[in-house]
Amino acid sequence: MSTGRIWMLNCWHVAAFSSELKRELMPRRLLDEAIVLYRDVDGAPVAMQDRCPHRLVPLSMGRLGGTLLHCGYHGMAFDREGACKFVPAQKRIPGGATVRTYPVVDRHDMVWIWMGAKELADVELIPDVHWMSHPGWASVSGYKHMACDYRLVNDNLLDLSHEAFVHQGTIGNGAGAEELPKVYCEGNRIIYAHREMPDIDPPPFFARVIGHSRRINRWQTAVYMPPGLNMTEAGAHEAGTPRNRASVWRVFHMITPETQATTHYFWVMARNFRLDDPELDAEIAAGVSATFDEDKLVLELQMQALAVERPATFPSVALMVDEAPVRARRMLAKQIEREREDDQAVFVPEPLGKEPYGSPFVTIDDS
Ligand code: FES
Ligand SMILES: [Fe+2]
């Protein structure tokens, strides 16, 4: 596996759910940098390096007072641009008394941070995930901390085949294990890895959510955009009924590296059915969490083995089911390489040509 930087910088990463940021200091490590997050008096999100320029203690140990963040050690105070505005017991603000800040934006109920060259941050590049906060969709969200390289989480989300084995107790029941997903890529995105699972018994989670145990037609689609946006669409309808009657859900997985070996996993599941149903919300939150715990177990064990063995190539044996994960890694590696050669290189999704069936980002008009 490659050494060196394993993530992109000139792009938006998810730093937090918007609801997490308050008028209090919240430390969080992102891309192996210590950051402190908070909201200013006007509600604007702020992201600053969590390090006082005086004696390097974390600013998150300090306090907010009006528009200033006061260091908890000697009381230097900084505004949201990171400029020092006050030093106790002296009038002169010394040179170098600034803190690095990062562009940070609330959109679709998430806080997005730009950790690369500040002047390149363009809010238009925040991915369109409006289903997460759109009134036509009901959503449930959650978070998991993963003790693994974030790329393993991407791999796993693009690998539909593991469901039949890992998720037998939740979203899988062994159906589809012999079906190879169709993979379609354009430019620097995985437009879809897709498979149909007609006339199957509903897996446990589906039976509960749909509310019956009759046989279903089901489909599954994974979409990926570097660095860490994955979406999984699942649809199910009773076998013999038309497809447009399907219950559809889209799970947005926003994967942000914490360190080289740990990951923040933010997820939002948006559904187009039983919109106002708090009982179902609770059921989904528990079901999704249990499902992702099954992934977490496999991924963390994989990470432990990788840390010991450090294989030159990975996966060590090439299987057909790895097509989408392998192609996604190539897209990611290509962009990281571009940034290495030119620190002004920005990830811009390439425009899509034809509109193939199966990509919810492309073909389904349900805004
Ligand atoms: S360490 Fe922050 S003011 Fe001294
Ligand atoms: Fe999984």
Side-chain angles (χ1 to χ4, degrees), residues 205-270:
F205 181 70
F206 282 72
R208 280 202 303 278
V209 167
I210 299 172
H212 69 71
S213 53
R214 293 183 288 280
R215 289 173 77 79
I216 57 171
N217 294 340
R218 178 187 166 194
W219 75 85
Q220 208 184 8
T221 309
V223 176
Y224 171 70
M225 185 172 103
L229 176 65
N230 289 269
M231 190 192 66
T232 321
E233 181 181 271
H237 56 103
E238 195 177 334
T241 64
R243 194 179 179 92
N244 62 12
R245 300 283 299 280
S247 300
V248 177
W249 51 99
R250 293 182 180 165
V251 190
F252 296 86
H253 318 257
M254 291 154 285
I255 309 303
T256 303
E258 179 183 49
T259 65
Q260 300 244 354
T262 57
T263 297
H264 299 289
Y265 185 162
F266 304 91
W267 62 265
V268 176
M269 176 168 165

Side-chain angles (χ1 to χ4, degrees), residues 52 54-57 71 73-76:
C52 179
H54 177 219
R55 284 185 173 266
L56 315 187
V57 302
C71 176
Y73 199 177
H74 311 97
M76 284 175 81

Side-chain angles (χ1 to χ4, degrees), residues 144-148 153 261-265 292 295-296 299-300:
K144 289 232 178 270
H145 184 265
M146 311 287 277
C148 68
V153 186
T262 57
T263 297
H264 299 289
Y265 185 162
F292 292 174
D295 293 305
K296 182 175 157 78
L299 295 177
E300 292 182 349

Side-chain angles (χ1 to χ4, degrees), residues 288-309:
V288 173
S289 181
T291 304
F292 292 174
D293 277 339
E294 294 170 336
D295 293 305
K296 182 175 157 78
L297 177 68
V298 174
L299 295 177
E300 292 182 349
L301 288 170
Q302 222 183 130
M303 187 69 196
Q304 287 164 26
L306 283 169
V308 173
E309 295 195 28

Side-chain angles (χ1 to χ4, degrees), residues 19 101 111 132 173 195-196 236 256 286 299 311 352 364:
S19 57
T101 61
V111 177
M132 300 190 332
N173 59 358
R195 65 177 180 173
E196 297 283 336
T256 303
L299 295 177
L352 300 173
I364 300 176

Side-chain angles (χ1 to χ4, degrees), residues 70-90:
H70 298 259
C71 176
Y73 199 177
H74 311 97
M76 284 175 81
F78 305 91
D79 69 11
R80 72 185 186 199
E81 307 302 331
C84 180
K85 293 294 179 185
F86 175 73
V87 185
Q90 69 179 65

Side-chain angles (χ1 to χ4, degrees), residues 121-285:
D122 175 358
V123 293
E124 294 308 313
L125 293 174
I126 294 176
D128 176 12
V129 284
H130 69 271
W131 301 274
M132 300 190 332
S133 53
H134 191 278
W137 293 75
S139 51
V140 175
S141 59
Y143 169 88
K144 289 232 178 270
H145 184 265
M146 311 287 277
C148 68
D149 179 332
Y150 78 104
R151 295 172 300 179
L152 291 178
V153 186
N154 283 339
D155 288 353
N156 185 60
L157 288 164
L158 282 161
D159 156 29
L160 300 179
S161 67
H162 77 269
E163 186 203 73
F165 305 96
V166 173
H167 297 304
Q168 298 247 356
T170 50
I171 56 171
N173 59 358
E178 294 304 318
E179 275 310 306
L180 207 56
K182 286 194 185 65
V183 177
Y184 180 80
C185 305
E186 256 193 66
N188 49 14
R189 282 184 278 180
I190 306 274
I191 305 302
Y192 62 77
H194 176 83
R195 65 177 180 173
E196 297 283 336
M197 299 152 86
D199 198 17
I200 61 167
D201 283 325
F205 181 70
F206 282 72
R208 280 202 303 278
V209 167
I210 299 172
H212 69 71
S213 53
R214 293 183 288 280
R215 289 173 77 79
I216 57 171
N217 294 340
R218 178 187 166 194
W219 75 85
Q220 208 184 8
T221 309
V223 176
Y224 171 70
M225 185 172 103
L229 176 65
N230 289 269
M231 190 192 66
T232 321
E233 181 181 271
H237 56 103
E238 195 177 334
T241 64
R243 194 179 179 92
N244 62 12
R245 300 283 299 280
S247 300
V248 177
W249 51 99
R250 293 182 180 165
V251 190
F252 296 86
H253 318 257
M254 291 154 285
I255 309 303
T256 303
E258 179 183 49
T259 65
Q260 300 244 354
T262 57
T263 297
H264 299 289
Y265 185 162
F266 304 91
W267 62 265
V268 176
M269 176 168 165
R271 65 178 189 273
N272 74 349
F273 57 96
R274 294 171 64 185
L275 297 187
D276 194 13
D277 189 338
E279 235 168 72
L280 182 61
D281 290 350
E283 178 121 29
I284 287 174

